[in-house]
Amino acid sequence: MMPRVLESPPGALPILAWAREVPPGAVKQLQHIASQPYVVEHVAAMPDVHVAQGVAVGTVFATERTVVPGALGGDLGCGVSAHRFAFPAASLGRADLERLLSAIARRVPVGDAVHRGAGLSLPPELQAASLSTHRLQKDWERLAPRHLATLGGGNHFLELDRDAGGDLWLLIHTGSRGVGGAIASHHLRVAAAVGEGSLPGLRTDSPEGAACLADIAWACRFARANRDVLAALAVEVLAEALGCEPGASVDVHHNYVAEEAHLGRVLLVHRKGAVGLEEGQKGLIPGSMGTASYVVEGRGEARAFRSCSHGAGRVLTRSEARARIRPAALEQALRWVVFDRGRVEDLVEEAPAAYRDIAEVLEDEAELVTPVLRLTPIAVLKG
């Protein structure tokens, strides 16, 4: 679809939305961003746009020399990775999938759980981390080893899927855990004290702004390492059971800021719940629990700052989902998917009915991405 042009306040920048419907609350949040003094060009809204704390999920905007910590979400560097196995998924029965999921769950802390004691050894790329304050450095040293290779809760997941050709895939959705939360909270406080705009931003030529960018980069490195180590743990289980190692893999962030060239100049592109893809670059758009996910290729749409959705997008808040969706309805929706049925009452928050139809999302962003591969879930471990 062509982007809709949403109404902007007087003096604000245009808002382009690749979504057939934008919730009124999200429109207000987009208008707020479009009114900020540091935003340039326009604001883009992805098909999965919905209300969130401070800034709507699915928001993309650019600045020249300002970083806005409140526009990226608390889980900095959150993203999705996918790993393909040349193994016939159809040969795995329900009992096989239950055994695999149980074996992975024994190795991967989920929800609020973290590794005990000193935690895990950090990979080499994280051992030289240098955060901008003594307190953040101590937070890193305390949290990083214990939160590495943990899934977290909410909409985070570890999932087994099959593609149209029958191959098995491993999907992981998680982020920077407590490490990113500590970094985000610190820079939100700094921006509130010295930033500009009603959604405070920090100039990157200031010590505060430079420190914010550097710390966010460390959070994103940790998030990527978290997915990588989680994948390694799951792959050990799968390789032992299946007798094969994964081949192709894809990994994308969706809560981050990046320096990129757009519209003839270098800009700082902020994405909250959105993925940046160059033309032809592979990406991932997961559906909801129990619905298909997609491997996609970017189409390089300049007006969207070469971005796309990060998922299906909520249509019900968690409290609305708990009030409206019966556990029995979730069990029926997931009748072909292996999951922990003992948690069905808690998992109604993540039911397919709480999210947009992923097919509609892909239709709305036909200018932004081309679907390459459909992945159907067969087993899901939720946080």
Side-chain angles (χ1 to χ4, degrees), residues 120-162:
L120 304 184
S121 297
L122 297 182
E125 65 269 22
L126 298 182
Q127 291 176 4
S130 179
L131 282 296
S132 62
T133 72
H134 178 74
R135 179 173 178 177
L136 280 179
Q137 189 68 32
K138 289 298 182 184
D139 285 341
W140 175 281
E141 293 168 1
R142 175 175 57 88
L143 296 173
R146 299 182 67 211
H147 286 222
L148 184 68
T150 65
L151 191 62
N155 61 354
H156 291 178
F157 63 79
L158 187 152
E159 187 173 280
L160 298 178
D161 292 61
R162 68 171 180 271

Short mmCIF file of all heavy atoms in Angstrom, two decimals, residues 120-162:
data_model
loop_
_atom_site.label_atom_id
_atom_site.label_comp_id
_atom_site.label_asym_id
_atom_site.label_seq_id
_atom_site.Cartn_x
_atom_site.Cartn_y
_atom_site.Cartn_z
N LEU A 120 27.61 -16.88 33.52
CA LEU A 120 28.39 -17.44 32.42
C LEU A 120 29.59 -16.54 32.10
O LEU A 120 29.58 -15.34 32.38
CB LEU A 120 27.52 -17.57 31.17
CG LEU A 120 26.24 -18.38 31.27
CD1 LEU A 120 25.57 -18.48 29.90
CD2 LEU A 120 26.50 -19.77 31.83
N SER A 121 30.59 -17.12 31.48
CA SER A 121 31.72 -16.33 30.99
C SER A 121 31.26 -15.53 29.77
O SER A 121 30.58 -16.06 28.89
CB SER A 121 32.87 -17.25 30.58
OG SER A 121 33.36 -17.96 31.70
N LEU A 122 31.64 -14.27 29.74
CA LEU A 122 31.24 -13.43 28.62
C LEU A 122 32.09 -13.75 27.40
O LEU A 122 33.27 -14.04 27.52
CB LEU A 122 31.41 -11.95 28.97
CG LEU A 122 30.55 -11.42 30.12
CD1 LEU A 122 30.80 -9.91 30.31
CD2 LEU A 122 29.07 -11.68 29.88
N PRO A 123 31.50 -13.69 26.21
CA PRO A 123 32.30 -13.90 24.99
C PRO A 123 33.32 -12.77 24.83
O PRO A 123 33.15 -11.68 25.40
CB PRO A 123 31.25 -13.88 23.88
CG PRO A 123 30.08 -13.18 24.45
CD PRO A 123 30.09 -13.45 25.91
N PRO A 124 34.37 -13.00 24.06
CA PRO A 124 35.45 -12.01 23.95
C PRO A 124 34.98 -10.62 23.56
O PRO A 124 35.51 -9.62 24.06
CB PRO A 124 36.36 -12.62 22.86
CG PRO A 124 36.12 -14.08 22.94
CD PRO A 124 34.67 -14.24 23.32
N GLU A 125 33.97 -10.53 22.68
CA GLU A 125 33.53 -9.21 22.22
C GLU A 125 32.85 -8.38 23.31
O GLU A 125 32.65 -7.18 23.14
CB GLU A 125 32.59 -9.35 21.02
CG GLU A 125 31.27 -10.05 21.31
CD GLU A 125 31.32 -11.55 21.09
OE1 GLU A 125 32.43 -12.12 21.13
OE2 GLU A 125 30.25 -12.15 20.89
N LEU A 126 32.51 -9.01 24.43
CA LEU A 126 31.88 -8.28 25.53
C LEU A 126 32.82 -8.04 26.70
O LEU A 126 32.48 -7.30 27.63
CB LEU A 126 30.64 -9.04 26.04
CG LEU A 126 29.49 -9.24 25.05
CD1 LEU A 126 28.34 -9.97 25.74
CD2 LEU A 126 29.01 -7.92 24.47
N GLN A 127 33.98 -8.64 26.70
CA GLN A 127 34.86 -8.57 27.87
C GLN A 127 35.52 -7.21 28.04
O GLN A 127 35.94 -6.86 29.14
CB GLN A 127 35.91 -9.68 27.78
CG GLN A 127 35.31 -11.06 27.97
CD GLN A 127 36.33 -12.18 27.80
OE1 GLN A 127 37.52 -11.93 27.61
NE2 GLN A 127 35.86 -13.43 27.86
N ALA A 128 35.60 -6.44 26.97
CA ALA A 128 36.24 -5.12 27.05
C ALA A 128 35.22 -4.00 27.21
O ALA A 128 35.54 -2.83 26.97
CB ALA A 128 37.09 -4.87 25.81
N ALA A 129 34.00 -4.33 27.62
CA ALA A 129 32.96 -3.31 27.74
C ALA A 129 33.39 -2.19 28.67
O ALA A 129 33.91 -2.43 29.76
CB ALA A 129 31.67 -3.95 28.27
N SER A 130 33.18 -0.96 28.22
CA SER A 130 33.52 0.22 29.01
C SER A 130 32.33 1.15 28.99
O SER A 130 32.07 1.84 28.00
CB SER A 130 34.76 0.91 28.42
OG SER A 130 35.08 2.07 29.15
N LEU A 131 31.57 1.15 30.06
CA LEU A 131 30.38 1.97 30.16
C LEU A 131 30.72 3.37 30.65
O LEU A 131 31.80 3.61 31.18
CB LEU A 131 29.34 1.30 31.07
CG LEU A 131 28.52 0.15 30.47
CD1 LEU A 131 27.66 0.65 29.32
CD2 LEU A 131 29.38 -1.01 30.00
N SER A 132 29.78 4.30 30.49
CA SER A 132 30.10 5.71 30.67
C SER A 132 30.16 6.18 32.11
O SER A 132 30.68 7.26 32.38
CB SER A 132 29.07 6.57 29.92
OG SER A 132 27.77 6.37 30.45
N THR A 133 29.62 5.41 33.05
CA THR A 133 29.68 5.79 34.46
C THR A 133 30.13 4.60 35.30
O THR A 133 30.00 3.44 34.87
CB THR A 133 28.32 6.28 34.99
OG1 THR A 133 27.43 5.16 35.11
CG2 THR A 133 27.71 7.34 34.08
N HIS A 134 30.64 4.90 36.47
CA HIS A 134 31.07 3.84 37.38
C HIS A 134 29.90 2.94 37.73
O HIS A 134 30.04 1.70 37.77
CB HIS A 134 31.66 4.46 38.64
CG HIS A 134 32.09 3.46 39.67
ND1 HIS A 134 33.22 2.69 39.52
CD2 HIS A 134 31.50 3.08 40.85
CE1 HIS A 134 33.32 1.88 40.58
NE2 HIS A 134 32.29 2.11 41.39
N ARG A 135 28.73 3.53 37.96
CA ARG A 135 27.57 2.72 38.35
C ARG A 135 27.15 1.79 37.21
O ARG A 135 26.84 0.61 37.45
CB ARG A 135 26.40 3.63 38.74
CG ARG A 135 25.16 2.85 39.13
CD ARG A 135 24.07 3.75 39.68
NE ARG A 135 22.89 2.97 40.00
CZ ARG A 135 21.79 3.47 40.54
NH1 ARG A 135 21.72 4.77 40.84
NH2 ARG A 135 20.76 2.70 40.80
N LEU A 136 27.11 2.31 35.97
CA LEU A 136 26.75 1.44 34.85
C LEU A 136 27.77 0.33 34.64
O LEU A 136 27.41 -0.79 34.30
CB LEU A 136 26.60 2.26 33.57
CG LEU A 136 25.30 3.03 33.37
CD1 LEU A 136 25.33 3.80 32.05
CD2 LEU A 136 24.09 2.10 33.41
N GLN A 137 29.03 0.65 34.86
CA GLN A 137 30.06 -0.39 34.73
C GLN A 137 29.84 -1.49 35.76
O GLN A 137 29.96 -2.69 35.44
CB GLN A 137 31.45 0.23 34.90
CG GLN A 137 32.60 -0.71 34.58
CD GLN A 137 32.68 -1.07 33.10
OE1 GLN A 137 32.33 -0.27 32.23
NE2 GLN A 137 33.12 -2.29 32.80
N LYS A 138 29.51 -1.09 36.98
CA LYS A 138 29.22 -2.08 38.02
C LYS A 138 27.97 -2.88 37.68
O LYS A 138 27.90 -4.10 37.93
CB LYS A 138 29.08 -1.39 39.38
CG LYS A 138 30.39 -0.86 39.93
CD LYS A 138 31.38 -1.99 40.18
CE LYS A 138 32.68 -1.51 40.77
NZ LYS A 138 33.66 -2.62 40.90
N ASP A 139 26.94 -2.20 37.14
CA ASP A 139 25.73 -2.91 36.71
C ASP A 139 26.07 -3.95 35.65
O ASP A 139 25.58 -5.09 35.68
CB ASP A 139 24.70 -1.93 36.14
CG ASP A 139 24.01 -1.11 37.22
OD1 ASP A 139 24.03 -1.52 38.39
OD2 ASP A 139 23.44 -0.05 36.87
N TRP A 140 26.90 -3.56 34.68
CA TRP A 140 27.32 -4.49 33.64
C TRP A 140 28.02 -5.71 34.24
O TRP A 140 27.69 -6.85 33.91
CB TRP A 140 28.24 -3.78 32.65
CG TRP A 140 28.83 -4.67 31.60
CD1 TRP A 140 29.88 -5.53 31.72
CD2 TRP A 140 28.37 -4.81 30.24
NE1 TRP A 140 30.13 -6.18 30.55
CE2 TRP A 140 29.21 -5.77 29.63
CE3 TRP A 140 27.36 -4.22 29.50
CZ2 TRP A 140 29.05 -6.14 28.29
CZ3 TRP A 140 27.19 -4.59 28.17
CH2 TRP A 140 28.03 -5.53 27.58
N GLU A 141 28.98 -5.46 35.13
CA GLU A 141 29.75 -6.56 35.72
C GLU A 141 28.87 -7.49 36.54
O GLU A 141 29.11 -8.69 36.60
CB GLU A 141 30.88 -5.98 36.57
CG GLU A 141 31.94 -5.26 35.73
CD GLU A 141 32.90 -4.44 36.57
OE1 GLU A 141 32.75 -4.45 37.83
OE2 GLU A 141 33.77 -3.77 36.00
N ARG A 142 27.83 -6.91 37.16
CA ARG A 142 26.93 -7.72 37.99
C ARG A 142 25.88 -8.45 37.14
O ARG A 142 25.58 -9.63 37.40
CB ARG A 142 26.22 -6.80 38.99
CG ARG A 142 25.15 -7.46 39.85
CD ARG A 142 24.61 -6.49 40.89
NE ARG A 142 24.06 -5.28 40.28
CZ ARG A 142 22.79 -5.15 39.87
NH1 ARG A 142 21.95 -6.18 40.01
NH2 ARG A 142 22.37 -4.03 39.34
N LEU A 143 25.34 -7.78 36.13
CA LEU A 143 24.20 -8.32 35.40
C LEU A 143 24.59 -9.15 34.17
O LEU A 143 23.96 -10.18 33.89
CB LEU A 143 23.28 -7.19 34.95
CG LEU A 143 22.60 -6.38 36.05
CD1 LEU A 143 21.87 -5.18 35.44
CD2 LEU A 143 21.62 -7.25 36.82
N ALA A 144 25.60 -8.70 33.43
CA ALA A 144 25.88 -9.34 32.14
C ALA A 144 26.14 -10.84 32.25
O ALA A 144 25.53 -11.63 31.49
CB ALA A 144 27.05 -8.63 31.46
N PRO A 145 26.99 -11.32 33.17
CA PRO A 145 27.22 -12.77 33.23
C PRO A 145 25.99 -13.58 33.62
O PRO A 145 25.84 -14.73 33.20
CB PRO A 145 28.32 -12.91 34.29
CG PRO A 145 28.95 -11.55 34.38
CD PRO A 145 27.84 -10.59 34.13
N ARG A 146 25.11 -12.98 34.41
CA ARG A 146 23.93 -13.72 34.89
C ARG A 146 22.76 -13.64 33.91
O ARG A 146 21.89 -14.51 33.89
CB ARG A 146 23.51 -13.20 36.26
CG ARG A 146 24.60 -13.37 37.32
CD ARG A 146 24.12 -12.89 38.69
NE ARG A 146 23.08 -13.76 39.20
CZ ARG A 146 22.08 -13.36 39.98
NH1 ARG A 146 22.00 -12.07 40.34
NH2 ARG A 146 21.18 -14.20 40.41
N HIS A 147 22.72 -12.58 33.09
CA HIS A 147 21.61 -12.42 32.15
C HIS A 147 21.94 -12.92 30.76
O HIS A 147 21.03 -13.05 29.92
CB HIS A 147 21.20 -10.94 32.09
CG HIS A 147 20.45 -10.49 33.30
ND1 HIS A 147 19.35 -9.67 33.24
CD2 HIS A 147 20.65 -10.74 34.63
CE1 HIS A 147 18.90 -9.43 34.47
NE2 HIS A 147 19.68 -10.07 35.32
N LEU A 148 23.21 -13.20 30.47
CA LEU A 148 23.57 -13.76 29.18
C LEU A 148 22.93 -15.14 29.03
O LEU A 148 22.94 -15.95 29.96
CB LEU A 148 25.10 -13.88 29.08
CG LEU A 148 25.64 -14.37 27.73
CD1 LEU A 148 25.41 -13.34 26.65
CD2 LEU A 148 27.14 -14.69 27.86
N ALA A 149 22.36 -15.40 27.84
CA ALA A 149 21.69 -16.68 27.57
C ALA A 149 20.47 -16.89 28.45
O ALA A 149 20.23 -17.97 28.97
CB ALA A 149 22.65 -17.86 27.71
N THR A 150 19.70 -15.82 28.65
CA THR A 150 18.39 -15.92 29.30
C THR A 150 17.35 -15.33 28.36
O THR A 150 17.62 -14.38 27.63
CB THR A 150 18.36 -15.18 30.65
OG1 THR A 150 18.53 -13.77 30.45
CG2 THR A 150 19.44 -15.70 31.58
N LEU A 151 16.15 -15.90 28.38
CA LEU A 151 15.13 -15.54 27.39
C LEU A 151 14.34 -14.31 27.79
O LEU A 151 13.97 -13.48 26.94
CB LEU A 151 14.20 -16.72 27.18
CG LEU A 151 13.24 -16.64 26.00
CD1 LEU A 151 14.00 -16.54 24.68
CD2 LEU A 151 12.32 -17.86 25.98
N GLY A 152 14.04 -14.17 29.10
CA GLY A 152 13.15 -13.09 29.51
C GLY A 152 11.70 -13.49 29.37
O GLY A 152 11.37 -14.65 29.08
N GLY A 153 10.79 -12.53 29.56
CA GLY A 153 9.37 -12.83 29.55
C GLY A 153 8.62 -12.07 28.48
O GLY A 153 9.19 -11.65 27.46
N GLY A 154 7.30 -11.87 28.71
CA GLY A 154 6.48 -11.12 27.76
C GLY A 154 6.37 -11.82 26.43
O GLY A 154 6.01 -13.00 26.34
N ASN A 155 6.70 -11.09 25.36
CA ASN A 155 6.57 -11.68 24.02
C ASN A 155 7.84 -12.37 23.53
O ASN A 155 7.94 -12.76 22.37
CB ASN A 155 6.14 -10.62 23.00
CG ASN A 155 7.15 -9.50 22.87
OD1 ASN A 155 8.13 -9.43 23.62
ND2 ASN A 155 6.91 -8.58 21.95
N HIS A 156 8.82 -12.53 24.42
CA HIS A 156 10.03 -13.25 24.03
C HIS A 156 9.72 -14.74 23.87
O HIS A 156 8.87 -15.29 24.58
CB HIS A 156 11.14 -13.05 25.06
CG HIS A 156 11.67 -11.65 25.06
ND1 HIS A 156 12.65 -11.22 25.94
CD2 HIS A 156 11.36 -10.57 24.30
CE1 HIS A 156 12.92 -9.95 25.71
NE2 HIS A 156 12.15 -9.53 24.72
N PHE A 157 10.47 -15.38 22.96
CA PHE A 157 10.19 -16.80 22.72
C PHE A 157 11.40 -17.49 22.12
O PHE A 157 12.29 -16.86 21.55
CB PHE A 157 8.99 -16.97 21.78
CG PHE A 157 9.19 -16.41 20.39
CD1 PHE A 157 9.93 -17.09 19.43
CD2 PHE A 157 8.64 -15.19 20.03
CE1 PHE A 157 10.11 -16.59 18.15
CE2 PHE A 157 8.82 -14.66 18.76
CZ PHE A 157 9.56 -15.36 17.82
N LEU A 158 11.39 -18.79 22.23
CA LEU A 158 12.26 -19.69 21.50
C LEU A 158 11.33 -20.69 20.82
O LEU A 158 10.49 -21.29 21.48
CB LEU A 158 13.24 -20.38 22.44
CG LEU A 158 14.34 -21.23 21.80
CD1 LEU A 158 15.58 -21.27 22.69
CD2 LEU A 158 13.86 -22.65 21.54
N GLU A 159 11.49 -20.86 19.52
CA GLU A 159 10.46 -21.55 18.75
C GLU A 159 11.10 -22.48 17.71
O GLU A 159 12.15 -22.17 17.15
CB GLU A 159 9.61 -20.48 18.05
CG GLU A 159 8.38 -20.96 17.32
CD GLU A 159 7.56 -19.77 16.83
OE1 GLU A 159 6.81 -19.18 17.65
OE2 GLU A 159 7.69 -19.41 15.65
N LEU A 160 10.44 -23.60 17.47
CA LEU A 160 10.80 -24.48 16.37
C LEU A 160 9.73 -24.36 15.30
O LEU A 160 8.53 -24.40 15.60
CB LEU A 160 10.91 -25.93 16.84
CG LEU A 160 11.97 -26.22 17.90
CD1 LEU A 160 11.93 -27.69 18.31
CD2 LEU A 160 13.36 -25.84 17.41
N ASP A 161 10.18 -24.18 14.04
CA ASP A 161 9.27 -23.97 12.92
C ASP A 161 9.64 -24.89 11.77
O ASP A 161 10.74 -25.44 11.74
CB ASP A 161 9.36 -22.52 12.43
CG ASP A 161 8.81 -21.52 13.42
OD1 ASP A 161 9.32 -21.42 14.54
OD2 ASP A 161 7.85 -20.82 13.06
N ARG A 162 8.74 -25.01 10.81
CA ARG A 162 9.06 -25.69 9.55
C ARG A 162 8.76 -24.73 8.40
O ARG A 162 7.82 -23.94 8.46
CB ARG A 162 8.26 -26.99 9.39
CG ARG A 162 6.77 -26.80 9.19
CD ARG A 162 6.08 -28.12 8.83
NE ARG A 162 4.66 -27.92 8.65
CZ ARG A 162 3.75 -28.01 9.62
NH1 ARG A 162 4.14 -28.33 10.85
NH2 ARG A 162 2.47 -27.82 9.37
#
